[in-house]
């Protein structure tokens, strides 16, 4: 029997590894940024075109590479980070697998320019699909510039799986933010299609968070700081009143590496117990320093999962530290009935910074508790009418004959109007139909109505826009501003009118007729969250997402009292929709109960 097991060629093995390491352009950005940090760079530039599909270029001022290293770095499992297996439990660098560059070079056109310090010439290397096209000496600046062009050019099926430019850009910005937040001591620059998205200067941790997420973030932050033998915790949590409905600004860093941990996230949420509304998620930026020997990073190629030796101790310390800080900064309520709020001392208050003086005591010398006060007559500004009737008159009106009572009862019944609809628990609307009754979910039904109205106004009709008397300026992070700018045309078709875009704000001068001025910020924030979801790359997709987002935000909420006319209008509008039976998100809007089914309820 002939042998059937054989070694795969290197280019095939690299493509298999690429499927695990490089899932989308954001994966390439992460690997290249981490390599630049490992090279000791203090200034890193990231240039993108078409959400990284056409170009991803990272330029750093690190130590650069020699001619041999420039060629070796593209070989599989070639790395300068570790030398033996024991080094896996003493990692001080971002990378260590030696797979990233080999995987990237297997599925893209790569150009590397690098030069070491004190060298006159650098090296330029061009690779296409794992094949070295050229290698020359060039004149270049110190550090490394690596360009990745035409990602997945030789794997068209993989390229077709990529999402729209908006979604892929969002993923890249997420990775960029994680790296930038982990290293506030490094300056970062991000350009997308020749537009500057981020220009982050070297700063401290708080300034870096504010620079990434906007100036509004500064007032939300509560500092966290705790030093123990097994872990050092520092960073910030957001105040409970700034919690969000969706998980967003939640960052864990262990030894300057971004990680995901549902276990530690539960510790943070439990520290906010009693302070958050139902369904709200706290924002946090937490940096943990632990001994490298107590963690295992070699779990997954993305290196976002970590195993800890003492997870339970970390959980307890993290929860206690956050509770302590929330209490110190008077965020958490203190149940002390004997406590005088005037005696509160500010956090980190220095006793010698302010001089204190004894309170002055004032005495009224004319005060005499035994002095009789003259009773003053109270004069009313109106005259009271004297009661002319006796108490027996209170019962004279009840002396009505039985015939009069019966006549009054039937007269009242004739005045009562037959009600077609009935609201139940301020959540459902019950309406009668020929075959029985229909129970309508008022919020889901209104979502369907608004969804079809918005979709029609955006795509078919010309959307009506109402101009604001005073333009509204709303603050967003740079990433959110970039996303709003990419869907500016679609928003204008929906009825929005923009006046000015800056790095951290957008000015709106016109809004759709059905939108109130007070809900502009809520609508745009919800829309950005919805667009962050995986949306297919189709010209119609943004319109659909916008219509769904607007409908969800502006729909009648559970607990809203509806008048009879509003109930009738809801029922009529719902059944005039094209798809009245389901909401825009696939949930049933109503349930019917036939007369036969009602009879069976009583016959059973």
């Amino acid at each position: 029997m002939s042998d059937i097991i054989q070694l795969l060629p290197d280019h095939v093995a690299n493509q298999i590894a690429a499927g695990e390491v490089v899932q989308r352009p954001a994966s390439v950005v992460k690997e290249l940024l981490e390599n630049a940090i490992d090279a000791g760079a203090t200034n890193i530039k990231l240039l993108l075109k078409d959400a990284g599909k056409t170009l991803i270029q990272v330029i750093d001022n690190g130590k650069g590479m020699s001619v041999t290293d420039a060629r070796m770095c593209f070989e599989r499992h070639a790395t300068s980070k570790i030398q033996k297996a024991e080094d896996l439990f003493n990692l001080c660098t971002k990378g260590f697998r030696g797979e990233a560059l080999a995987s990237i070079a297997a599925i893209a056109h790569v150009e590397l320019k690098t030069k070491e310090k004190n060298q006159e010439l650098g090296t330029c290397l061009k690779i296409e699909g794992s094949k070295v096209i050229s290698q020359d000496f060039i004149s270049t600046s110190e550090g490394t510039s690596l360009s990745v062009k035409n990602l997945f050019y030789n794997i068209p099926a993989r390229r077709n799986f990529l999402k729209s430019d908006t979604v892929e850009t969002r993923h890249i910005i997420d990775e960029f933010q994680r790296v930038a937040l982990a290293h506030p001591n490094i300056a970062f620059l991000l350009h997308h299609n020749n537009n500057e998205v981020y220009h982050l200067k070297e700063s401290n941790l708080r300034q870096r968070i504010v620079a990434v997420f906007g100036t509004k973030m500064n007032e939300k932050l509560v500092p966290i700081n705790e030093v123990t033998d097994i872990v050092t915790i520092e960073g910030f949590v957001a105040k409970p009143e700034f919690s969000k409905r969706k998980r967003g600004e939640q960052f864990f860093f262990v030894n300057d590496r971004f990680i995901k941990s549902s276990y530690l996230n539960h510790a943070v949420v439990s520290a906010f117990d009693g302070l958050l509304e139902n369904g709200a998620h706290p924002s946090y930026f937490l940096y943990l320093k632990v001994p490298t020997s107590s963690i295992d990073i070699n779990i997954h190629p993305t290196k976002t999962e970590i195993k800890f030796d003492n997870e339970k101790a970390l959980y307890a310390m993290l929860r206690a530290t956050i509770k302590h800080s929330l209490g110190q900064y008077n965020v958490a309520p203190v149940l002390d009935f004997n406590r005088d709020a005037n005696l509160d001392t500010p956090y980190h208050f220095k006793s010698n910074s302010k001089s204190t003086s004894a309170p002055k005591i004032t005495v009224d010398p004319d005060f005499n508790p035994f002095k009789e006060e003259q009773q003053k007559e109270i004069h009313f500004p109106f005259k009271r009418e004297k009661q002319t009737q006796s108490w027996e008159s209170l019962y004279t009106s009840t002396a009505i004959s039985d015939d009069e009572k019966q006549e009054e009862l039937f007269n009242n019944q004739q005045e009562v109007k037959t009600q077609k609809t009935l609201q139940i628990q301020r959540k459902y609307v019950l309406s009668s139909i020929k075959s029985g009754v229909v129970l309508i979910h008022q919020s889901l039904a209104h979502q369907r109505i608004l969804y079809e109205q918005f979709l029609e106004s955006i795509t078919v009709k010309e959307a009506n826009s109402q101009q604001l008397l005073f333009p509204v300026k709303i603050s967003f992070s740079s990433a959110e501003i970039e996303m709003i700018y990419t869907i500016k045309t679609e928003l204008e078709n929906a009825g929005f009118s923009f006046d000015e875009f800056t790095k951290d704000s957008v000015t709106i001068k016109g809004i759709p007729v059905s939108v109130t001025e007070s809900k502009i910020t809520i609508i745009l924030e919800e829309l950005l969250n919805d667009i962050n979801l995986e949306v297919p790359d189709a010209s119609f997709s943004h319109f659909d997402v916008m219509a769904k987002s607007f409908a969800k935000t502006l729909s009648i909420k559970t607990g809203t009292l509806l008048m009879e006319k509003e109930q009738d209008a809801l029922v009529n509008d719902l059944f005039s929709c094209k798809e009245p039976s389901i909401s825009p998100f696939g949930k049933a809007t109503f349930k019917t109960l036939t007369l036969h089914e009602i009879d069976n309820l009583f016959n059973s």
Side-chain angles (χ1 to χ4, degrees):
M1 187 175 178
S2 59
D3 299 332
I4 59 174
I5 298 178
Q6 57 183 351
L7 286 174
L8 291 173
D10 285 343
H11 69 279
V12 177
N14 287 339
Q15 284 194 9
I16 294 173
E20 195 175 35
V21 177
V22 183
Q23 300 170 2
R24 56 188 350 135
S27 307
V28 177
V29 170
K30 173 181 180 293
E31 298 293 346
L32 298 186
L33 289 178
E34 289 182 349
N35 281 345
I37 293 170
D38 287 341
T42 58
N43 197 316
I44 301 174
K45 299 177 183 178
L46 173 60
L47 311 179
L48 304 170
K49 283 187 179 179
D50 301 329
K53 299 173 185 177
T54 303
L55 172 68
I56 299 172
Q57 184 177 8
V58 173
I59 305 170
D60 67 66
N61 63 345
K63 57 186 178 183
M65 289 182 281
S66 65
V67 178
T68 305
D69 287 345
R71 185 69 174 263
M72 280 292 294
C73 71
F74 291 101
E75 298 294 331
R76 288 192 70 206
H77 305 306
T79 180
S80 61
K81 316 296 174 63
I82 61 173
Q83 294 179 349
K84 54 185 183 295
E86 288 76 10
D87 294 340
L88 289 172
F89 295 95
N90 191 25
L91 290 171
C92 299
T93 57
K94 301 290 185 183
F96 55 86
R97 289 174 173 270
E99 289 182 328
L101 290 180
S103 300
I104 294 169
I107 54 173
H109 297 165
V110 178
E111 183 179 18
L112 172 68
K113 296 179 181 179
T114 184
K115 189 180 84 167
E116 290 182 305
K117 192 177 181 180
N118 301 325
Q119 294 293 323
E120 294 183 0
L121 294 176
T123 304
C124 178
L125 189 67
K126 294 182 180 180
I127 299 177
E128 295 180 3
S130 296
K131 295 181 181 179
V132 178
I133 305 301
S134 64
Q135 182 172 351
D136 301 304
F137 289 102
I138 60 164
S139 176
T140 183
S141 57
E142 292 181 8
T144 302
S145 170
L146 202 150
S147 302
V148 178
K149 304 175 183 177
N150 306 321
L151 193 64
F152 298 123
Y153 81 99
N154 53 354
I155 312 178
R158 191 66 179 274
R159 190 176 180 90
N160 292 335
F161 277 114
L162 295 179
K163 306 299 179 181
S164 65
D165 284 0
T166 305
V167 174
E168 294 299 341
T169 302
R170 177 70 253 179
H171 283 286
I172 290 174
I173 290 176
D174 285 344
E175 292 293 351
F176 179 85
Q177 289 177 348
R178 293 166 182 174
V179 175
L181 289 172
H183 300 276
N185 57 326
I186 299 177
F188 289 91
L189 183 70
L190 171 58
H191 277 229
H192 182 221
N193 292 338
N194 298 322
N195 294 323
E196 183 181 288
V197 181
Y198 281 113
H199 189 179
L200 307 175
K201 299 180 180 179
E202 181 181 350
S203 60
N204 60 33
L205 184 55
R206 190 182 194 115
Q207 291 171 339
R208 176 56 56 88
I209 294 172
V210 171
V212 171
F213 291 100
T215 53
K216 275 189 173 181
M217 181 59 72
N218 192 36
E219 62 178 306
K220 304 177 183 179
L221 301 178
V222 175
I224 305 291
N225 199 341
E226 188 69 38
V227 179
T228 67
D229 293 336
I230 63 172
V231 63
T232 299
I233 304 172
E234 63 175 338
F236 299 90
V237 295
K239 296 175 183 177
E241 58 264 32
F242 298 107
S243 60
K244 296 191 174 184
R245 288 292 173 186
K246 296 191 178 181
R247 299 176 186 270
E249 297 155 356
Q250 297 181 336
F251 295 88
F252 274 119
F253 299 94
V254 175
N255 295 352
D256 295 333
R257 183 191 301 277
F258 173 81
I259 69 158
K260 296 178 181 178
S261 174
S262 57
Y263 187 69
L264 295 182
N265 177 72
H266 189 274
V268 177
V269 173
S270 62
F272 279 85
D273 189 26
L275 300 176
L276 297 177
E277 296 180 4
N278 188 25
H281 301 280
S283 300
Y284 53 81
F285 309 86
L286 297 173
Y287 297 74
L288 282 65
K289 296 283 187 182
V290 298
T292 54
S293 58
S294 66
I295 57 174
D296 184 6
I297 304 171
N298 191 24
I299 304 298
H300 193 272
T302 59
K303 298 187 278 289
T304 55
E305 298 177 18
I306 288 183
K307 283 188 176 180
F308 297 93
D309 281 352
N310 42 10
E311 275 192 332
K312 291 184 178 179
L314 284 176
Y315 183 100
M317 289 180 183
L318 187 60
R319 182 175 180 272
T321 301
I322 295 173
K323 265 188 171 296
H324 180 61
S325 292
L326 291 175
Q328 282 182 323
Y329 286 86
N330 289 330
V331 175
V334 180
L335 294 176
D336 185 357
F337 298 103
N338 298 321
R339 169 177 164 271
D340 186 356
N342 297 322
L343 300 179
D344 284 350
T345 305
Y347 190 59
H348 290 319
F349 179 78
K350 296 181 180 179
S351 58
N352 57 355
S353 61
K354 294 183 180 180
S355 57
T356 57
S357 57
K360 296 180 179 179
I361 301 174
T362 57
V363 179
D364 184 4
D366 297 328
F367 175 72
N368 185 357
F370 302 102
K371 185 178 181 180
E372 295 182 358
E373 294 184 1
Q374 296 180 352
Q375 294 183 352
K376 297 180 180 179
E377 294 184 1
I378 301 174
H379 298 281
F380 292 96
F382 58 88
K383 293 182 179 180
R384 292 185 178 181
E385 295 182 359
K386 295 182 178 180
Q387 295 181 353
T388 57
Q389 297 178 348
S390 61
W391 62 270
E392 291 92 342
S393 63
L394 296 173
Y395 296 92
T396 57
S397 59
T398 61
I400 303 175
S401 64
D402 293 338
D403 294 338
E404 290 176 343
K405 287 181 181 179
Q406 190 174 7
E407 184 179 353
E408 183 181 355
L409 177 63
F410 282 102
N411 288 338
N412 289 339
Q413 283 186 348
Q414 291 175 359
E415 292 176 0
V416 175
K417 296 181 180 179
T418 304
Q419 190 173 5
K420 294 182 180 179
T421 58
L422 174 66
Q423 190 180 24
I424 302 174
Q425 298 293 331
R426 297 190 179 185
K427 184 175 183 180
Y428 301 101
V429 174
L430 183 68
S431 179
S432 61
I433 55 178
K434 289 183 180 180
S435 60
V437 293
V438 59
L439 190 63
I440 301 170
H441 193 295
Q442 66 182 39
S443 180
L444 297 178
H446 200 218
Q447 285 181 17
R448 164 53 63 178
I449 296 167
L450 292 177
Y451 170 71
E452 292 199 5
Q453 289 177 353
F454 277 121
L455 204 57
E456 185 179 11
S457 65
I458 294 173
T459 58
V460 180
K461 300 178 182 178
E462 185 176 351
N464 295 322
S465 177
Q466 55 179 343
Q467 297 300 306
L468 299 174
L469 185 61
F470 300 103
V472 177
K473 187 176 182 180
I474 306 174
S475 298
F476 288 104
S477 66
S478 299
E480 291 171 333
I481 293 292
E482 174 73 12
M483 189 177 299
I484 293 174
Y485 191 78
T486 58
I487 59 171
K488 179 184 175 186
T489 304
E490 287 89 341
L491 287 170
E492 288 174 341
N493 290 336
F496 284 92
S497 179
F498 298 95
D499 189 23
E500 183 184 11
F501 278 86
T502 63
K503 290 183 179 180
D504 57 358
S505 67
V506 58
T507 304
I508 298 173
K509 61 180 181 180
I511 56 177
V513 176
S514 54
V515 175
T516 58
E517 185 176 338
S518 60
K519 290 190 175 182
I520 298 176
T521 305
I522 300 172
I523 286 176
L524 290 179
E525 287 179 351
E526 286 289 331
L527 178 60
L528 293 177
N529 285 331
D530 292 336
I531 290 179
N532 283 341
L533 301 175
E534 301 295 316
V535 183
D537 188 8
S539 58
F540 189 72
S541 63
H542 281 326
F543 293 126
D544 190 58
V545 172
M546 286 171 57
K548 286 181 179 178
S549 183
F550 292 164
K552 181 178 63 176
T553 306
L554 299 174
S555 62
I556 299 169
K557 301 298 184 287
T558 297
T560 304
L561 178 65
L562 300 180
M563 305 306 292
E564 184 180 347
K565 290 183 179 179
E566 293 173 326
Q567 297 171 27
D568 292 337
L570 182 72
V571 175
N572 295 332
D573 290 343
L574 175 63
F575 288 102
S576 63
C577 292
K578 295 179 181 178
E579 294 287 345
S581 59
I582 58 172
S583 75
F585 302 95
K587 296 182 179 179
T589 57
F590 66 87
K591 294 289 183 181
T592 57
L593 196 62
T594 64
L595 194 59
H596 179 67
E597 291 173 333
I598 296 174
D599 290 337
N600 289 337
L601 292 176
F602 292 95
N603 294 332
S604 58

